Amino acid sequence: MTSQNNGLKSYLSAHMKDYGLLFALIAIMAFFQIMTDGTLMRPVNITNLFLQNSYIIVMALGMLIVIVAGHIDLSVGSVMGFIGALAAVMIVNWDMPVWVTIPICVALGGVIGAAQGYWVAYWKIPSFIATLAGMLVFRGASLWLLEGQSVGPFPQSFQVLSTGFIGDFFSRETTAPIAELVGSRNFNVLSLSVGVISAMVIVWLGLRQRARGKAYGIEGEPSAFFWGRNIIVLGALIFLSFKLATFRGLPNVLLTMGILIVFYAFVTEKTVIGRRIYALGGNEKAAKLSGIKTERLTFFAFVNMGVLAAIAGLIFAARLNTATPKAGFGMELDVIAAVFIGGASMSGGSGKIVGAVVGAFIMGVLNNGMSILGIGIDYQQMIKGLVLLAAVVFDVYNKQKQA
Amino acid sequence: MSILLEMREITKEFPGVKALDRVNLQVAEGEIHAICGENGAGKSTLMKVLSGVYPAGSYDGEIHYDGQLAEFRTLRDSEDRGIVIIHQELALVPELSIAENLFIGNERAQKGVMNWHETFQETEQLLKKVGLKDSPGTQVDKIGVGKQQLVEIAKALAKDVRLLILDEPTAALQENDSRKLLDLMLELKAQGVTCIIISHKLNEVRYVADSVTVIRDGMTVSTLDAKAGLSEDDIVRDMVGRDMSNRYPDRERRAGDLLLEVEGWNVWHPEHSERQVIKDISFNVRAGEVVGIAGVMGSGRTELAMSIFGQSWGRNISGTAKLRGSAMDVSTVDRAINGGLAYVTEDRKSLGLVLDETIQFNTTLANLEEVSAKGVLNPNEETKAAEYYRKALRTRTPSVFQKVGNLSGGNQQKVVLGKWLFTGPEVLILDEPTRGIDVGAKYEIYAIINELSAQGKGVVMISSEMPELLGMCDRIYVMNEGAFVGEMPAAEATQERIMSLIVTE
Ligand SMILES: Nc1ncnc2c1ncn2[C@@H]1O[C@H](COP(=O)(O)OP(=O)(O)OP(=O)(O)O)[C@@H](O)[C@H]1O
Ligand SMILES: [Mg+2]
């Protein structure tokens, strides 16, 4: 009995990081749920939470890769603002069609990433400096492009990028009885089904991995933990999708975000390229001597970051329905904070997509909750700073305890 | 003689690994005490327990030092009592001068202001003690590993050392440098310093040690008295638990067709562009042949190997490489690998491994194509490969999901070897493959080399251990100052003949 207890304890201490993050998110949500008298979890607010954080999360995906590769990108906020400005100028001022503007903007994001990644990868310019330069350049570029003015509004066809919702496969009349049953104005079956199905898939993938581990005699997660964690995730997903269902259903942005998260989680954890990025960040020299083209990989990490910053820029502009010269100022710090709260290490080689996403949500819930409570921006900044520090200290403390 | 140190029933566990299991160790005042054991036996861990790296409370058992129960919480605590440890990995700051390194954390200063005069004066005295003639202002990375090791000892002497612990101090040293270090130890002993030395080089243990404690699988096996005369075989028997009559496994020697040919290879230094480091070298390897490259440290052997392996070192590289008579593209590492070359680096920690990752991660890293389909990894295949090499090389670890950084030095070396064997090379270049590896594991690595040769592969072996070259190779090239100065069949080679070629040049 004691040995089993010991096993659980040592397992917990070795994986404190993963559980800690999940618990932190739940604790923060519970705290604000109580403090805001339930406003936090109101369907409309949950929908808002997703909309408000979508661009941070999209950029956090790219930032995680850059940080795992051992670098940093300080320019993403400015690049995001610049692309939003460009989209506004193209659509509003030049009357260009939306379907032409979007690909051009995304491609330009890639080019911007390439322009910065080139110096970092092939000239070995520290990324901190190269992207600091980029940050200044694109801040200026947005001002110049917009001539200091706000440009907007966008046509409806562009706004749906952010504010649109995916239609249900049943008509409103069909779902009316359900809506009545749960006491809401309407009920989106698609939303709930997507939530339930993705929850199932997550549990199934987890079970498959466990079975594989057993076959190879790996001492996996104790089953109490496995089920505990899965039930929480399962419950949360179904709960959230139910809440969304009682409002307007699945926002378009959530779908975009979901697809990107799944894609990048897959790339980083299951593919050769992902593996190589971790090797590059873990030990660049050893990676190079293993035949990995470290320069090219670094270069593409920045190209990818540029593309995601551009997508974030489009989402952001569509959400505000106008492009302002100051859009994106300081946003890079939120993105970087999300990645570090999510457990990535400054020295590269470690960190997970899921961690970065949870990190971004922790920041998002903090922002949202504090705003509902009417806490001033001054205190908000201070609290966020302390949360970042606490998260990283917690991480370092755990590592030291294990040694 | 009185007992200076007694460690009683020391047990230390890591998650999933019992590194030490009720180990006992007794060291008498003024003796040189050697600790021997296979890789992963727990030698370094025992010394870390002793010196407070693993603080009191994180292990079971008692340490009695100088008649008192000692409970060290930090390195500092043990240093205050005169215990100084020189770790398996050197801990000097390469960018700082010798003088600065000697007094790190122990600065000669008044009110926080450095007293350079005193620092340099004391440094000169200490350097004289350890027999170094370099000036105190010399930057540490400008002197060789042998001298760096002596600087480490000088640093220990700067701290009023009473018990000096050396963890594999000679692993990276040439024979003459090793000899210098061992003689210095004997001198310190004469001055009353007690020493503990960990080494896999049993001839050196015989040379300096007064007594030997052998550890196997985290347990004390025996303590042998060396003053009465001890043979290497006595130690080996206790280390591996059986007799080992032959240090080099037999192999049917049968050189086949030409496999690798390198012609007119020239390389210049990457930073000092006027310095030619490799001068017009040509050599070849036949199928099934083991070819040795002998030479002293700094003769350019590693630079030669790395410049051939994807131009990983140097500039303005010229020359041709051919595999089975047709030209080979070795301009980048992945082309060299695809062409059939593999290079096991000399420095496993900084060049060979991603220490924060698992054995499995490292094993497959140079050949991810093999364990993936359309760019998607197949974890089952990865585990299979890692397991295969864990078993084949007898790597000591609870599982292939263990972090490589947690393995003992010798087992890390096996992981590097497994990683390169997994690329299925035609020619395997080994750079100091048995550095820091115990006798049993050496034998296993030799057996693997023999197996490769039996499959018709070529092996190039760079080694500073002359007996190893003589015992394993078919043919030996002698290298000095960037050029080959001799070539001979191993059967005709002797240590003296090789050294005379190097010296006369
Ligand atoms: N921090 C750690 N975490 C987990 N296991 C560890 C850790 N440090 C050491 N070990 C394990 O403890 C055992 C003893 O390691 P140690 O480094 O003491 O061996 P060693 O006798 O010094 O070997 P070598 O001759 O190869 O240096 C090994 O199995 C090793 O994998
Ligand atoms: Mg050791």
Side-chain angles (χ1 to χ4, degrees):
Chain A
M1 192 61 225
T2 44
S3 83
Q4 197 188 339
N5 262 338
N6 258 336
L8 280 186
K9 233 169 88 183
S10 77
Y11 183 84
L12 190 63
S13 78
H15 295 261
M16 202 55 206
K17 181 169 157 180
D18 306 340
Y19 296 106
L21 204 57
L22 191 61
F23 281 125
L25 180 61
I26 293 171
I28 290 173
M29 287 178 86
F31 173 79
F32 283 111
Q33 173 70 357
I34 294 165
M35 293 304 286
T36 60
D37 290 330
T39 312
L40 186 80
M41 299 284 194
R42 292 248 295 277
V44 52
N45 194 52
I46 287 177
T47 306
N48 262 335
L49 254 173
F50 284 124
L51 295 183
Q52 273 170 7
N53 291 296
S54 52
Y55 38 89
I56 300 279
I57 288 172
V58 167
M59 288 195 286
L61 301 175
M63 190 64 80
L64 178 97
I65 290 177
V66 168
I67 285 174
V68 165
H71 294 283
I72 193 100
D73 191 340
L74 298 175
S75 73
V76 295
S78 307
V79 172
M80 184 191 104
F82 173 72
I83 295 289
L86 181 71
V89 170
M90 286 172 82
I91 295 171
V92 180
N93 294 2
W94 303 343
D95 279 330
M96 283 171 76
V98 170
W99 61 268
V100 177
T101 306
I102 290 179
I104 289 181
C105 284
V106 171
L108 187 67
V111 172
I112 291 172
Q116 303 189 75
Y118 170 76
W119 299 109
V120 178
Y122 297 101
W123 285 72
K124 309 281 178 250
I125 308 288
S127 54
F128 189 95
I129 294 170
T131 59
L132 182 65
M135 173 170 112
L136 296 172
V137 166
F138 292 103
R139 263 190 193 183
S142 310
L143 271 170
W144 167 78
L145 196 62
L146 295 172
E147 294 165 339
Q149 306 290 310
S150 292
V151 175
F154 288 103
Q156 182 64 27
S157 59
F158 185 73
Q159 285 180 43
V160 292
L161 214 58
S162 248
T163 52
F165 290 83
I166 302 165
D168 200 356
F169 35 57
F170 297 112
S171 70
R172 222 162 147 160
E173 287 72 52
T174 335
T175 57
I178 311 179
E180 204 169 324
L181 199 69
V182 297
S184 67
R185 269 195 288 133
N186 64 16
F187 193 85
N188 187 301
V189 180
L190 177 75
S191 166
L192 186 62
S193 336
V194 168
V196 172
I197 290 170
S198 45
M200 298 296 202
V201 170
I202 286 175
V203 175
W204 178 70
L205 286 175
L207 278 172
R208 214 177 59 159
Q209 182 133 7
R210 250 175 104 71
R212 183 187 104 76
K214 275 238 174 65
Y216 284 95
I218 308 164
E219 214 184 306
E221 199 176 12
S223 43
F225 285 12
F226 175 80
W227 286 111
R229 186 172 52 86
N230 272 286
I231 285 169
I232 291 175
V233 172
L234 201 97
L237 272 174
I238 294 175
F239 175 76
L240 288 177
S241 56
F242 177 81
K243 288 283 182 178
L244 290 176
T246 59
F247 187 55
R248 292 175 60 189
L250 284 183
N252 288 341
V253 172
L254 188 59
L255 186 75
T256 318
M257 217 163 75
I259 291 173
L260 287 174
I261 291 172
V262 170
F263 175 75
Y264 281 101
F266 178 77
V267 168
T268 51
E269 282 172 40
K270 308 275 182 213
T271 70
V272 172
I273 296 210
R275 177 61 56 83
R276 289 184 170 156
I277 294 170
Y278 283 90
L280 164 67
N283 184 345
E284 182 171 358
K285 286 183 196 153
K288 198 159 187 176
L289 280 171
S290 304
I292 295 173
K293 298 186 182 90
T294 50
E295 281 101 4
R296 196 191 295 181
L297 208 54
T298 307
F299 178 73
F300 279 112
F302 279 92
V303 172
N304 177 64
M305 182 73 253
V307 168
L308 288 172
I311 294 175
L314 295 174
I315 295 175
F316 187 70
R319 181 173 148 68
L320 294 191
N321 200 12
T322 152
T324 65
K326 288 214 159 168
F329 269 35
M331 200 84 87
E332 59 278 347
L333 301 180
D334 280 344
V335 175
I336 293 168
V339 173
F340 286 132
I341 288 178
S345 115
M346 187 80 206
S347 55
S350 76
K352 281 188 165 179
I353 286 289
V354 181
V357 172
V358 174
F361 270 117
I362 287 180
M363 293 285 277
V365 172
L366 277 174
N367 277 334
N368 181 273
M370 290 192 291
S371 300
I372 297 174
L373 290 178
I375 295 175
I377 192 82
D378 40 4
Y379 286 110
Q380 286 199 21
Q381 298 275 6
M382 290 192 242
I383 290 171
K384 270 158 51 183
L386 292 176
V387 167
L388 171 63
L389 183 66
V392 178
V393 168
F394 177 75
D395 215 36
V396 170
Y397 171 75
N398 265 315
K399 267 197 198 123
Q400 280 179 356
K401 226 175 46 183
Q402 268 180 67
Chain B
M1 246 188 288
S2 62
I3 299 295
L4 176 66
L5 169 76
E6 188 177 1
M7 299 181 80
R8 285 187 206 149
E9 305 269 300
I10 303 289
T11 298
K12 169 83 190 163
E13 280 182 71
F14 296 108
V17 190
K18 203 172 211 173
L20 297 174
D21 189 1
R22 282 172 289 136
V23 170
N24 290 302
L25 175 70
Q26 262 193 11
V27 179
E29 174 113 48
E31 71 164 347
I32 297 182
H33 195 110
I35 300 180
C36 294
E38 298 184 293
N39 297 125
K43 305 179 295 293
S44 299
T45 306
L46 187 65
M47 292 303 107
K48 286 180 186 163
V49 165
L50 171 57
S51 58
V53 173
Y54 299 132
S58 71
Y59 57 86
D60 293 329
E62 285 181 358
I63 301 175
H64 292 265
Y65 177 68
D66 199 15
Q68 287 175 336
L69 180 69
E71 291 183 325
F72 301 128
R73 293 218 155 64
T74 61
L75 260 179
R76 202 63 192 237
D77 288 354
S78 64
E79 276 179 7
D80 288 345
R81 302 282 308 274
I83 302 178
V84 179
I85 183 167
I86 299 177
H87 287 284
Q88 205 161 349
E89 298 81 31
L90 289 177
L92 298 172
V93 183
E95 294 84 9
L96 295 185
S97 68
I98 295 179
E100 285 167 313
N101 265 292
L102 285 191
F103 294 100
I104 284 181
N106 187 19
E107 289 83 3
R108 296 289 175 263
Q110 275 92 41
K111 299 201 177 77
V113 179
M114 286 293 288
N115 183 339
W116 287 110
H117 181 69
E118 201 183 322
T119 305
F120 274 73
Q121 233 172 14
E122 280 193 42
T123 303
E124 268 174 7
Q125 283 171 6
L126 289 166
L127 290 185
K128 205 178 283 165
K129 262 194 196 169
V130 300
L132 269 181
K133 292 190 194 68
D134 298 77
S135 100
T138 316
Q139 206 169 309
V140 159
D141 59 1
K142 298 282 186 295
I143 59 176
V145 210
K147 287 182 175 179
Q148 288 181 8
Q149 196 65 261
L150 295 177
V151 171
E152 281 269 19
I153 293 185
K155 186 173 160 189
L157 295 180
K159 288 177 195 155
D160 280 332
V161 57
R162 210 172 149 196
L163 173 61
L164 179 64
I165 304 167
L166 299 133
D167 195 350
E168 299 196 34
T170 59
L173 301 193
Q174 298 278 317
E175 216 163 291
N176 46 343
D177 282 338
S178 298
R179 185 49 75 98
K180 257 188 228 156
L181 191 139
L182 298 173
D183 285 335
L184 176 62
M185 283 179 70
L186 291 172
E187 215 170 283
L188 292 175
K189 175 176 131 181
Q191 293 166 17
V193 177
T194 311
C195 285
I196 297 177
I197 179 173
I198 296 176
S199 179
H200 290 296
K201 297 185 178 170
L202 301 180
N203 55 338
E204 299 179 358
V205 169
R206 273 192 60 198
Y207 181 66
V208 292
D210 298 307
S211 40
V212 180
T213 294
V214 180
I215 298 180
R216 193 197 313 150
D217 293 334
M219 287 184 262
T220 314
V221 178
S222 58
T223 297
L224 308 165
D225 189 356
K227 274 167 291 200
L230 193 62
S231 76
E232 289 183 29
D233 288 338
D234 292 335
I235 307 176
V236 171
R237 191 178 316 117
D238 284 347
M239 273 174 68
V240 299
R242 62 188 150 87
D243 272 311
M244 265 190 68
S245 49
N246 208 342
R247 293 285 173 81
Y248 303 100
D250 291 327
R251 165 164 59 97
E252 200 185 316
R253 295 179 188 229
R254 175 184 38 159
D257 298 334
L258 274 177
L259 191 60
L260 177 72
E261 293 166 86
V262 174
E263 300 274 340
W265 201 257
N266 287 295
V267 180
W268 271 263
H269 196 280
E271 281 130 38
H272 311 289
S273 52
E274 71 294 340
R275 247 177 75 195
Q276 186 171 4
V277 182
I278 302 297
K279 297 161 195 156
D280 195 32
I281 283 183
S282 300
F283 70 96
N284 59 57
V285 184
R286 291 175 176 276
E289 202 181 21
V290 179
V291 173
I293 303 181
V296 294
M297 215 153 276
S299 57
R301 294 168 302 173
T302 295
E303 289 76 5
L304 171 67
M306 285 185 74
S307 63
I308 294 173
F309 189 64
Q311 308 204 346
S312 313
W313 193 91
R315 268 189 194 208
N316 290 336
I317 299 169
S318 64
T320 57
K322 284 191 217 161
L323 192 77
R324 291 208 183 85
S326 49
M328 202 181 173
D329 183 359
V330 293
S331 58
T332 66
V333 176
D334 62 313
R335 285 179 196 156
I337 295 174
N338 288 335
L341 283 186
Y343 170 59
V344 176
T345 47
E346 174 183 22
D347 182 341
R348 54 182 169 247
K349 288 211 164 160
S350 73
L351 301 180
L353 295 167
V354 185
L355 290 174
D356 263 347
E357 296 287 354
T358 61
I359 296 176
Q360 172 173 317
F361 182 107
N362 279 282
T363 303
T364 57
L365 189 60
N367 191 13
L368 290 171
E369 291 76 21
E370 186 78 25
V371 290
S372 61
K374 298 200 178 80
V376 178
L377 293 166
N378 180 339
N380 293 334
E381 289 295 318
E382 280 196 86
T383 310
K384 221 157 67 187
E387 279 291 341
Y388 175 82
Y389 287 103
R390 180 180 72 86
K391 291 205 184 92
L393 303 173
R394 293 211 243 153
T395 314
R396 268 166 204 242
T397 167
S399 87
V400 295
F401 301 98
Q402 182 78 345
K403 256 196 204 174
V404 170
N406 288 344
L407 296 183
S408 76
N411 285 308
Q412 289 179 350
Q413 182 67 9
K414 291 184 184 175
V415 176
V416 181
L417 201 59
K419 159 177 159 181
W420 288 108
L421 291 176
F422 185 54
T423 63
E426 291 293 320
V427 178
L428 182 67
I429 306 172
L430 301 164
D431 199 348
E432 305 285 0
T434 62
R435 169 176 297 175
I437 285 198
D438 71 60
V439 273
K442 264 185 195 166
Y443 190 89
E444 285 158 18
I445 288 177
Y446 298 147
I448 290 160
I449 294 176
N450 285 350
E451 195 179 309
L452 286 172
S453 120
Q455 292 165 12
K457 306 282 166 71
V459 176
V460 178
M461 188 154 150
I462 297 171
S463 175
S464 298
E465 278 188 55
M466 219 75 91
E468 173 174 278
L469 288 179
L470 297 174
M472 284 302 297
C473 298
D474 297 308
R475 199 150 49 91
I476 296 175
Y477 288 99
V478 183
M479 187 166 181
N480 192 32
E481 295 188 349
F484 277 0
V485 294
E487 177 193 348
M488 63 192 85
E492 296 168 18
T494 61
Q495 213 150 322
E496 290 72 35
R497 214 181 135 193
I498 293 174
M499 281 319 290
S500 74
L501 276 172
I502 293 173
V503 175
T504 53
E505 270 298 306

